Amino acid sequence: MEYSGEQLQGFMPPAITADDCLAALLEDERQAVMDNRKEIVFEAGESIIKEGFVASNVLYLEEGLVRLNVLVDGRHSAVNLVSPHSFVGLICTFASHNLMCSARALEPSRVSLIDLQLFERFVKQNGTFALNLTRHISAVTSKIVHRLARLKDKHIDGALSVLLLEFAEIYQSMDYTIPLNRKEIADILGYSKESVINALSRMHREGIVKVNGRKIGILRHDNLRKISQTG
């Protein structure tokens, strides 16, 4: 018997979040995190992780929005948008001593730094934490893979629709101010700035979205979602 995607979703457990991982820590482990935690505030556009640096901390985003990038053929490509209550670049942190990714704040962001050695110790001594962390990293990796595959063969209208809907989900609103200029949107999608400007203008004329500078209003959500799936 075959099941549809919607039917299968009912059988799938919810993804393990960063907070689920931290909730699995024992009382003394949580205290160790609090005692060793450092907090840094990054301004919009500021680098949070630099590629090639040695990983010494696990980064947890308290508030703000972060773009995670990887370097491919000499060009930085965005692979994920990290929203609050999430780890930043965790999939890279355990992969190598030298980070294979970079991260930049898209808006003012507050980040907690947790000693990586603490996390490694917790993995060895706390089986529930280790299992949750493994499931969380798997979920994040799966999300990134699906996002990249989804964007890979789309025309500009389809790719832009995916991004606009992604921000609507992040901000939990159909009206928001996108924290990117047209050039930055183009860089994320892999298109030219002119293509992005033309696509936004076209969607505005057709009444699918309302565009006023960086302010975006999604007027016809179903149409935009259809374009994101077929465009």
Side-chain angles (χ1 to χ4, degrees):
M1 182 183 236
E2 294 186 357
Y3 294 94
S4 67
E6 291 183 358
Q7 289 173 317
L8 285 172
Q9 286 180 356
F11 294 98
M12 296 173 64
I16 299 293
T17 67
D19 286 347
D20 291 329
C21 295
L22 296 176
L25 294 174
L26 302 177
E27 185 176 347
D28 63 320
E29 294 169 340
R30 284 195 293 270
Q31 188 60 51
V33 169
M34 295 304 296
D35 291 343
N36 290 275
R37 183 177 68 94
K38 297 178 181 178
E39 193 171 280
I40 300 179
V41 175
F42 296 89
E43 297 300 323
E46 195 172 353
S47 178
I48 296 175
I49 296 175
K50 294 184 179 180
E51 186 171 354
F53 276 42
V54 176
S56 58
N57 292 288
V58 172
L59 277 59
Y60 177 87
L61 183 64
E62 302 281 357
E63 60 183 38
L65 187 64
V66 172
R67 169 181 168 176
L68 187 68
N69 310 298
V70 294
L71 187 65
V72 179
D73 295 332
R75 179 176 176 272
H76 285 96
S77 298
V79 295
N80 198 22
L81 297 174
V82 184
S83 52
H85 306 293
S86 305
F87 295 122
V88 180
L90 188 66
I91 58 172
C92 303
T93 303
F94 287 96
S96 172
H97 289 294
N98 295 92
L99 290 164
M100 304 301 291
C101 62
S102 62
R104 181 171 65 87
L106 293 181
E107 56 188 41
S109 300
R110 184 163 55 89
V111 177
S112 286
L113 278 62
I114 306 169
D115 192 331
L116 178 58
Q117 290 185 348
L118 277 180
F119 259 56
E120 292 175 341
R121 192 179 84 200
F122 299 157
V123 167
K124 293 175 182 178
Q125 68 188 26
N126 185 333
T128 302
F129 172 77
L131 181 60
N132 280 5
L133 192 65
T134 301
R135 287 176 172 171
H136 174 67
I137 292 174
S138 296
V140 172
T141 303
S142 177
K143 179 184 176 182
I144 290 174
V145 169
H146 280 83
R147 183 180 187 275
L148 294 176
R150 192 179 184 199
L151 289 171
K152 181 176 179 292
D153 297 318
K154 289 197 179 298
H155 298 299
I156 178 59
D157 285 30
L160 182 59
S161 298
V162 169
L163 187 65
L164 295 179
L165 290 169
E166 193 170 12
F167 276 111
E169 183 178 351
I170 288 171
Y171 292 121
Q172 291 293 292
S173 175
M174 295 295 108
D175 297 280
Y176 55 85
T177 299
I178 195 165
L180 302 165
N181 59 36
R182 302 301 189 256
K183 176 64 166 60
E184 290 169 328
I185 294 174
D187 288 343
I188 285 180
L189 299 180
Y191 283 90
S192 68
K193 176 182 175 182
E194 291 71 22
S195 296
V196 169
I197 292 173
N198 291 337
L200 281 173
S201 298
R202 186 162 52 249
M203 291 180 183
H204 180 84
R205 288 196 306 270
E206 294 174 358
I208 298 172
V209 298
K210 182 179 180 181
V211 182
N212 183 10
R214 293 195 182 193
K215 293 183 178 180
I216 303 292
I218 298 176
L219 305 177
R220 293 158 60 185
H221 181 271
D222 289 343
N223 293 68
L224 192 65
R225 184 163 297 281
K226 185 175 181 180
I227 295 171
S228 75
Q229 294 169 344
T230 62

